[in-house]
Each structure stands twice: as C-alpha cells, then as structure tokens.
Amino acid sequence: MPNGDVTLTLIRHVYQEVESPESDNKASAVEEAVLDEDAEIEAALGIEPETPGEEENTLYYAPDAPGAEDGPFYPPPPRAKRGSDERDRSASPPASFWAALKRQAAKINLDAVENENAPKAAVKTEKVIVSSHEVQCIVSSRHLMLASRYFETILSGEFEEAKALRATGHVEITMLDEDLDSMTILLNIIHGASRKVPRNVSLEVLSKLAVLVSKYGMLETVEFFSDTWIDYLQREGLPKAYTKEVLRLLFVFWVFDRETEFRDMTRLAQREADDKFEEDVEKLEGVKIPAGIIDAIKQARVSAMETALSVVHTLITKYMEGSALCDAALDEELRYACDAMVLGSLLKSSRKIGIWPKPEAPFPGRKYKGLAKAIRGIKILDVCNKTSSRRWNSHGPAGNSHGLEDVIEEKLKEVEKGLDGLRLFDYAKKRYVLNHRE
C-alpha cells in the first residue's frame, strides 16, 4: 500500500515586518518592556528562555515523522479536583510567580492611565522576505489521487511522474510556485489530520486556498472546510459596495461553488465597477478570474449604461421632432410652451450630468450606479401644471411633468432586473483545467 511514496518540494519564505523610517520608536519600547516582564515571570517559574530554531525542512503526512507518537495529539489532562490524592495534583506556581504577575499588572494599569489621552502614532510596517529554503512534504500517492483530479491524472497513465512512481515506488514533484502554508492546510485535509486544519481563515488565505483548489481540482475534498471558512467570513460581514475585496470574494465563491454569494458579488461588480474593471482584476496577486466572467461583467455594465442613456435620449429626440405632445394645456400656444420647457429642462439636466451629447462606450470613469442616480435626479419642468389646476393627461394623474419621471424610473428598473449578477451554473464547468503544466 502506498505510504509516503511522493515527495512534494515547495519553498518556504521567511518574512519579517520592517517599520518604515517615519514610525515612532515609542511603541517598540513599550513592547520591549512588556517582554521583559514576561521574562521575569518565566524566570520565577524556572523556565529557560527558548532559543529560536530553524524551521523544519521535512513535513511528514504519510508515514508519521520519525519518533512521533502514534495517534492524534490530545490536550493535557486537567488538574485534579481539590481534596483528591496529592499525587494527582500538579504543583502550584511559587510565590515569586504571583509577585511578578502583580508587578506586571500594576505596570500595565499605570501605563494605561498615563497614555489614555496621549495621541497614538501610526506605525507603518511592510513584510520583506529575509530568507527562503526548500521544504519537502512526504505524502501518500493514494491520498493525493483520491483527493485531486490533477494528481489522479499525472500519477496514472503515461505521465513522467506516473512512470517514475511505477518504476521506483517513489516520485518527487516540484511545486516551487505554490504557497507552502496553504498547501500544508490542504495536505492536512487530504491525509485526515483534521485537528490541524484551522476553522477560520482570513480572506487573503482563503483566496490562496481557492487558487490551489481550483488548480488541482480538490473541491469535493475540501468542501466541508470551505463552507466553514466562508460562513465565518459571512458572520464578519461581506462587502456592501464594490472594492478589491469583492473581486477576491468573487473568485472564492466561484471556486467553492457558492451560487448565491457569487451572484451577489458579480451584481456589485456589474453595477459599481467602472471601465477599469479588467485592470483591477489584473492587479490581484495570485488570483485569476476566468476571462468569461470578466467579459460577461464588462458587457453587462456597458449594455446597462447604454440602455439607461437611451431612455433620456429617446425622450429628448421625441420632444425635438416638433409635434405637440402636451395634452393638458388649454390652447395650442400653451401646449407648445409646455413642450419647449420639458425639452429645455431635459437638455439642461442632461448637459449638467454629462450625458449630453451622448457619451460613447466604454464610458470612461463612469459606473452604472452613479449614472442611474444622476438620471433619477433629473428635474423635468413643464408649463401646463403651473398655469392650471388640472393635473391630468390622457394617461391619468400627472404630478411629475406628464409622467415622464415615472417613465424614466420604470425603464431603469427594467434595466436593473437584467443587471442582477451572473449565474454560477454558466461558469462552473470551467473551474478545473489541466493546463498549468505547460
């Protein structure tokens, strides 16, 4: 039975947070003082300070690491209850421990009072790679093939990896471009080490996991955990407006087959992205939204904006033709004046919000949501409703310039019914494609 017959070689990058030169050094001084107090407590307990060691260069998933205890790791047993055999009770900390703890608490409380009203200086940090080294993950080919369509493909048939595995009983696969921490989470899931799998992750980590799940075809294997991670993000709150986070979430929901959430994020993109939407997607590090989804969102945005603009321009053209349209005024001159005022207010308002003359696609710098709000804000004036108490036309009551504002609102609502996000079903079949070996 295959057991530790595949070695995955990845790269571990060691990062360090570096403060920018303009950062205040006061924060680091306070942190150092707290660390000194912690050291005092450890000294009172007789605990020797740990010396930082090198990261493990070999991670075992199958078989267990040499010298590792069999079975899962359980938490230590709780202390025995009061009154039980003294041999079953752990020793209490010495008096010096409690004295050091009180001094630390007093110090923290005093600093809190002194700095309560002091302005906090912003500390800017950035992560830089200080070192990199290879890490080898010893895994089971059978587990990989059951969990991943990608590994099922390359470890069987006539691929070089499959031939090496059959010939020697072992194969090494280099994956230097993959994120080690994310791959570690997936390997723990694949090999059944569920206790080592985090129950919540940040959006950044989740998007990295989604990249690997999509790339290696592991959706069915991680679906239980992905639902848990996404539910946690939902409890924290999903974006209500278009941001860069929307693009990451869009990709995550597409990969993990979340129909409702995918539709919500694509709806935000359709309504609130501008003509630079594709550039926003390209700036996302490591995340590749399929071209079909990008094109569909861009087309929906342009089509909706063209339709919204045509609503106003159709009315302008209609009133410019010359035939009398007002049917509420009492005489022909008043009807002419009313039509002229309606046309003038339409032209002036359209010029003010930048839609006259009619702009051309792809409408640089404009978003559908902003355009629709501006069009809804157009104030259409007439004459007949100001010179007569009559508020009726051939269509019934007309309290907003012959019902034209109602016409605009109705047309925009029709546009927005079609601007309701994408259906995941139309793009689900393209989640996994075996083309990244090229």
Side-chain angles (χ1 to χ4, degrees), residues 27 66-67 80 87 125 140 152 195 220 240 244 282 379:
R87 291 173 298 179
T125 60
S140 162
E152 181 185 14
R195 290 194 172 191
E220 293 80 5
K240 301 298 183 184
K244 298 294 178 62
E282 292 174 354
K379 185 65 176 177

Side-chain angles (χ1 to χ4, degrees), residues 97-119:
F97 165 79
W98 301 110
L101 192 62
K102 287 181 179 180
R103 288 196 298 273
Q104 182 187 16
K107 172 69 174 174
I108 293 174
N109 291 336
L110 181 61
D111 290 342
V113 172
E114 291 178 350
N115 298 326
E116 184 175 6
N117 298 323

Side-chain angles (χ1 to χ4, degrees), residues 73 225 234 295 357-358 362 367:
F73 294 97
F225 291 98
Q234 288 180 317
D295 291 341
K358 186 178 180 180
K367 306 174 182 179

Side-chain angles (χ1 to χ4, degrees), residues 305-306 309 313 354-364 366 371:
M305 295 182 74
E306 285 180 338
L309 289 171
H313 284 262
I355 64 172
W356 182 268
K358 186 178 180 180
E360 298 294 331
F363 312 112
R366 282 193 171 272
L371 175 64

Side-chain angles (χ1 to χ4, degrees), residues 133-395:
H133 60 272
E134 289 188 358
V135 174
Q136 294 183 325
C137 301
I138 311 300
V139 298
S140 162
S141 63
R142 180 166 296 178
H143 285 73
L144 290 179
M145 293 171 71
L146 288 173
S148 163
R149 282 178 285 169
Y150 171 82
F151 286 110
E152 181 185 14
T153 302
I154 69 167
L155 294 177
S156 60
E158 297 303 317
F159 282 92
E160 294 298 324
E161 293 86 349
K163 292 178 181 178
L165 185 61
R166 288 195 297 266
T168 64
H170 185 274
V171 64
E172 181 174 344
I173 302 174
T174 302
M175 307 169 67
L176 302 183
D177 295 331
E178 312 303 357
D179 181 70
L180 175 62
D181 294 332
S182 301
M183 183 59 75
T184 298
I185 293 174
L186 295 180
L187 290 176
N188 281 325
I189 295 174
I190 291 171
H191 290 83
S194 59
R195 290 194 172 191
K196 298 179 181 179
V197 180
R199 294 310 189 258
N200 55 73
V201 296
S202 66
L203 176 57
E204 181 181 0
V205 173
L206 185 55
S207 62
K208 292 179 180 179
L209 288 164
V211 170
L212 296 177
V213 170
S214 173
K215 189 173 183 178
Y216 295 108
M218 300 182 185
L219 175 60
E220 293 80 5
T221 304
V222 305
E223 196 163 16
F224 170 79
F225 291 98
S226 66
D227 286 343
T228 303
W229 298 328
I230 292 173
D231 290 344
Y232 169 77
L233 289 182
Q234 288 180 317
R235 288 193 297 271
E236 294 291 306
L238 297 180
K240 301 298 183 184
Y242 177 76
T243 62
K244 298 294 178 62
E245 287 186 354
V246 167
L247 299 179
R248 287 191 178 275
L249 287 167
L250 187 159
F251 177 76
V252 166
F253 295 145
W254 172 69
V255 171
F256 292 121
D257 202 13
R258 302 283 290 220
E259 168 67 35
T260 302
E261 294 85 353
F262 175 78
R263 192 164 190 167
D264 290 342
M265 294 302 108
T266 52
R267 183 191 301 114
L268 282 176
Q270 287 174 337
R271 297 188 179 194
E272 300 186 25
D274 59 17
D275 59 306
K276 299 187 183 301
F277 172 71
E278 191 167 1
E279 295 180 18
D280 294 340
V281 174
E282 292 174 354
K283 291 177 183 177
L284 288 178
E285 185 177 353
V287 174
K288 294 183 179 179
I289 299 175
I293 296 177
I294 297 173
D295 291 341
I297 291 174
K298 289 170 57 181
Q299 292 171 7
R301 168 190 168 270
V302 171
S303 176
M305 295 182 74
E306 285 180 338
T307 305
L309 289 171
S310 69
V311 171
V312 178
H313 284 262
T314 298
L315 289 175
I316 291 175
T317 302
K318 182 179 179 181
Y319 274 86
M320 290 180 71
E321 287 177 351
S323 57
L325 298 174
C326 175
D327 56 0
L330 299 178
D331 56 64
E332 185 175 348
E333 289 186 1
L334 197 57
R335 287 196 293 270
Y336 180 84
C338 185
D339 289 348
M341 180 169 283
V342 170
L343 176 59
S345 58
L346 280 171
L347 287 171
K348 188 170 184 178
S349 297
S350 298
R351 180 82 176 185
K352 182 177 180 181
I353 63 176
I355 64 172
W356 182 268
K358 186 178 180 180
E360 298 294 331
F363 312 112
R366 282 193 171 272
K367 306 174 182 179
Y368 171 80
K369 184 178 180 180
L371 175 64
K373 183 178 179 181
I375 291 176
R376 285 186 167 104
I378 289 178
K379 185 65 176 177
I380 304 175
L381 304 177
D382 61 8
V383 172
C384 60
N385 284 333
K386 290 179 171 53
T387 59
S388 172
S389 61
R390 190 176 179 187
R391 299 288 181 177
W392 295 75
N393 57 27
S394 59
H395 304 289

